[in-house]
Amino acid sequence: MSPSELPGLTIAELQKILRTREVSPREVIRALHGRIEEIDPQIGAYLSRDLEAALAAADTADVELPLGGIPLAIKDAISVRDQPLTCGSKILGNYRALYDATVVVRLKAAGAIPFGKTNLDEFAMGSSTENSNFHPTRNPWNRDRIPGGSSGGSAAAVAANLAIASLGSDTGGSIRQPAALCGVVGLKPTYGRVSRYGLTAFASSLEGIGPLTKSVRDSALLLQVMAGADPQDSTSLEAPVPDYAAELEIDLRGVRLGLPNEYLRAGIDPEVKVALDAAVAHFSSLGAEIVEISLPHTDYAIDVYYIIATAEASANLARFDGVRYGYRAANPTNLQDHYRRTRAEGFGAEVKRRIILGTYVLSSGYYDEFYLRAQKVRTLVRQDFAAAFEKVDALLSPTSPVPAFKLGERAADPLQMYLADVFTVAANLAGICGISIPCGFAQNAGSLPLPIGLQILCPALGEMRLFQVAHAYEQSTDWHRRRPPL
Amino acid sequence: MSSSHLDVAYVAQLARLNLTAEETALFQTQLAEVLAHAARLQELDLENVEPAAHAAPAVNVFRQDETRPSLTQEEALRNAPRAANDLFIVTKVLE
């Protein structure tokens, strides 16, 4: 196999040729490095890379380990010891991580090699990766379009064969939406399935770390290593971790798939609707039973999400005060001036906007009206899913109502940007698991085709069933094998 | 909802965040739209609904009260914007 083919491989494919010694881990890192140097200036998927550290890890890699010698790109909100951690923000200054996130500890112990930190919306706040303090990331399928967000760098890197696989984080769709818009597989695990220790906190009750990959099998292989209880994260779940990759193949006959009525209303791009209908018909042809279902509080989920997420963010981001780490404004006249200018100069516009909204909904006199009310509706959203999963095994919907939009198109209109997350936020409110897999292309959005993603949702800790349904679709279609011409 | 009560300049003070006049005016307009959208939550009867603070309601999680490895002083100071004599240098608190 020629070095130029290596970056396009899946984890499963790369494992095979590493174990037969057809290639060495060093050759894989070299090949990825070469392609990133050549291609990434057009995409902007990466914020930093440490070639020497990756080569050193490659030289001692044990390819017999579950992920031995497999390089992984890491969203730059996740700590990798001694590497920069920017969160896409100016306010972290020249911060370098002092420890590995628990997922990074586990992936390293399984033989994986962290290689490169990927671009994101500042503090994971955004749906387009335009809110990065450093540069936007471009969609590899059409470089005038956004890659989605906030894990846009992680999605674009996998789609453009600039990474074998990557890690992202999902607070309201930040793994699934960019996976859909870039044509890759993105998994949001059940809340608590994967430790959050070492993920910079944005909205602690909503977010989690998950993989972005070229196949469902790769997603299962990574979750296998990442999942499990962690003493460093009191919200991580004690539940046993099944062998996800061993039981991917199932017969879909008798499996009940729900189609939520509320997700099919006006506002969906016609080509997205066509792709969804085709995916549903395909599942039907595989023997699955399709059941129309109702999630009555769907329309309210986006409002609930932006109240709760910004409230939690306003508290979590209070730690950025310019005292112990990161950026500090020059020559403060007193402590108030120090705080206010450090934060004014260090945070970008979207982060400021969310701190203001979050502070407001928590403030005296408005707490009951906004935050408490949103928490109550969150209960209703959760009950909707509980009722639905009594009738069906999984739910199907588009991941995003539209294919990738143009850079700048929604940047000036936060409400429109927020509505990009309309199909993904409910899963975070309910803490269930979800995956986005490629299910077609939009042809009418300009001269180049744009990927469309299918979202599959399963109940909490239902990752096994989620992978099985996704894998059955994937193995009988070829959307996931398409790559942009780069 | 009473988004007309949103006073961005006042909230920015609460959040220890200086905003320019332009930012204040822009956020005032944009966030009023977001809050107007959220006014739909008023349609719901929430009389007997419990609030959910978390995705998966967790009971208290305890661990043994034992020391664990932590950062050294040198590590803790490594990312400090200003440090000297093994200490963080902070802005004067007392006038």
Side-chain angles (χ1 to χ4, degrees):
Chain A
M1 180 168 295
S2 85
S4 65
E5 293 171 68
L6 295 173
L9 297 181
T10 64
I11 293 174
E13 290 164 345
L14 187 55
Q15 264 175 344
K16 278 197 193 113
I17 59 169
L18 282 166
R19 286 176 183 166
T20 59
R21 308 298 196 269
E22 191 179 334
V23 294
S24 70
R26 172 174 275 265
E27 287 167 328
V28 175
I29 297 290
R30 280 276 170 212
L32 265 179
H33 172 70
R35 182 165 169 89
I36 294 167
E37 291 279 296
E38 181 193 340
I39 305 290
D40 199 42
Q42 304 168 57
I43 305 295
Y46 285 93
L47 290 175
S48 63
R49 273 177 303 128
D50 188 338
L51 178 62
E52 293 312 312
L55 289 174
D59 287 341
T60 58
D62 176 357
V63 297
E64 300 305 327
L65 288 170
L67 298 171
I70 305 289
L72 296 173
I74 313 283
K75 184 179 186 177
D76 204 17
I78 299 170
S79 284
V80 179
R81 190 183 169 106
D82 296 331
Q83 298 299 317
L85 177 73
T86 68
C87 298
S89 183
K90 178 181 174 186
I91 206 159
L92 274 140
N94 297 316
Y95 185 91
R96 277 183 183 263
L98 297 167
Y99 61 91
D100 279 327
T102 295
V103 288
V104 174
V105 171
R106 290 182 179 182
L107 290 164
K108 281 181 175 175
I113 303 171
F115 183 46
K117 304 298 294 285
T118 51
N119 199 16
L120 67 161
D121 287 298
E122 184 177 3
F123 288 106
M125 295 181 190
S127 308
S128 70
T129 315
E130 292 167 292
N131 296 333
S132 168
N133 177 56
F134 301 100
H135 52 77
T137 297
R138 292 170 180 275
N139 191 307
W141 291 91
N142 179 339
R143 295 193 292 277
D144 295 332
R145 304 263 167 170
I146 55 102
S150 66
S151 309
S154 293
V158 175
N161 291 342
L162 300 172
I164 303 300
S166 63
L167 298 191
S169 64
D170 191 311
T171 310
S174 279
I175 289 174
R176 289 161 288 158
Q177 186 254 17
L181 271 41
C182 289
V184 300
V185 176
L187 172 74
K188 173 226 160 328
T190 300
Y191 182 81
R193 174 80 286 191
V194 174
S195 168
R196 290 182 290 115
Y197 182 69
L199 169 67
T200 307
F202 151 26
S204 307
S205 83
L206 299 165
E207 65 205 359
I209 301 173
L212 294 103
T213 57
K214 293 166 190 156
S215 72
V216 174
R217 180 174 297 279
D218 280 6
S219 192
L221 290 170
L222 287 178
L223 184 65
Q224 190 70 47
V225 172
M226 294 161 65
D230 174 16
Q232 303 276 42
D233 176 1
S234 64
T235 62
S236 64
L237 299 172
E238 291 287 346
V241 180
D243 189 347
Y244 295 115
E247 295 173 50
L248 282 181
E249 320 276 344
I250 59 158
D251 187 339
L252 282 188
R253 276 175 294 184
V255 173
R256 298 159 304 164
L257 301 179
L259 215 47
N261 291 318
E262 291 80 4
Y263 284 45
L264 303 174
R265 47 149 197 245
I268 299 185
D269 178 277
E271 288 188 285
V272 172
K273 178 73 168 62
V274 167
L276 176 73
D277 290 344
V280 170
H282 187 76
F283 273 116
S284 195
S285 75
L286 294 174
E289 182 190 343
I290 307 297
V291 183
E292 288 210 12
I293 204 121
S294 177
L295 298 170
H297 298 94
T298 294
D299 277 351
Y300 304 102
I302 194 82
D303 301 301
V304 172
Y305 173 79
Y306 275 96
I307 291 170
I308 291 175
T310 57
E312 294 184 12
S314 73
N316 275 326
L317 270 57
R319 77 193 58 190
F320 297 99
D321 58 8
V323 173
R324 293 148 299 155
Y325 47 79
Y327 175 80
R328 183 186 292 188
N331 306 317
T333 54
N334 57 36
L335 192 61
Q336 283 295 324
D337 182 55
H338 164 121
Y339 288 146
R340 289 173 187 197
R341 275 200 298 120
T342 293
R343 290 159 63 79
E345 294 166 18
F347 288 134
E350 179 61 21
V351 172
K352 290 178 187 173
R353 195 155 35 231
R354 294 203 195 188
I355 289 173
I356 297 294
L357 183 58
T359 305
Y360 174 67
V361 299
L362 289 176
S363 63
S364 173
Y366 303 101
Y367 180 94
D368 285 2
E369 187 179 348
F370 293 104
Y371 185 64
L372 187 64
R373 181 165 283 268
Q375 285 188 314
K376 288 182 175 180
V377 184
R378 185 176 186 178
T379 296
L380 299 179
V381 170
R382 203 155 76 192
Q383 289 170 351
D384 281 358
F385 281 111
F389 287 128
E390 282 178 14
K391 301 192 185 85
V392 297
D393 301 298
L395 296 167
L396 304 178
S397 80
T399 307
S400 164
V402 294
F405 43 90
K406 288 180 181 147
L407 266 94
E409 190 178 305
R410 297 192 182 194
D413 190 341
L415 183 58
Q416 282 308 306
M417 189 70 91
Y418 297 170
L419 292 174
D421 304 332
V422 67
F423 296 145
T424 48
V425 294
N428 301 78
L429 293 171
I432 60 175
C433 58
I435 197 168
S436 179
I437 57 174
C439 74
F441 285 87
Q443 305 290 346
N444 297 336
S447 52
L448 298 164
L450 290 170
I452 297 171
L454 174 72
Q455 176 174 248
I456 309 170
L457 301 174
C458 277
L461 294 174
E463 279 85 356
M464 179 66 94
R465 180 47 58 91
L466 191 68
F467 285 140
Q468 289 167 338
V469 172
H471 183 74
Y473 179 86
E474 181 190 85
Q475 291 307 300
S476 52
T477 58
D478 79 337
W479 306 115
H480 66 292
R481 293 201 185 84
R482 313 266 184 104
R483 284 289 166 268
L486 282 167
Chain B
M1 263 186 209
S2 40
S3 55
S4 58
H5 293 300
L6 169 63
D7 179 348
V8 168
Y10 172 70
V11 176
Q13 296 297 306
L14 295 178
R16 302 292 184 264
L17 181 63
N18 280 352
L19 296 181
T20 64
E22 291 76 27
E23 283 174 327
T24 305
L26 183 65
F27 293 174
Q28 188 76 48
T29 309
Q30 290 172 332
L31 294 179
E33 275 182 41
V34 172
L35 290 168
H37 197 269
R40 296 184 300 170
L41 299 182
Q42 300 283 22
E43 299 163 3
L44 296 165
D45 176 9
L46 301 172
E47 190 72 36
N48 297 310
V49 181
E50 287 293 315
H54 236 266
V59 291
N60 287 335
V61 178
F62 296 107
R63 64 170 172 82
Q64 292 302 312
D65 187 17
E66 292 165 347
T67 55
R68 294 186 291 190
S70 57
L71 300 182
T72 64
Q73 189 173 31
E74 186 275 319
E75 286 171 326
L77 289 165
R78 198 181 290 166
N79 287 305
R82 290 187 68 196
N85 302 329
D86 295 334
L87 299 165
F88 294 105
I89 306 281
V90 299
T91 302
K92 198 166 70 172
V93 177
L94 298 171
E95 297 296 325

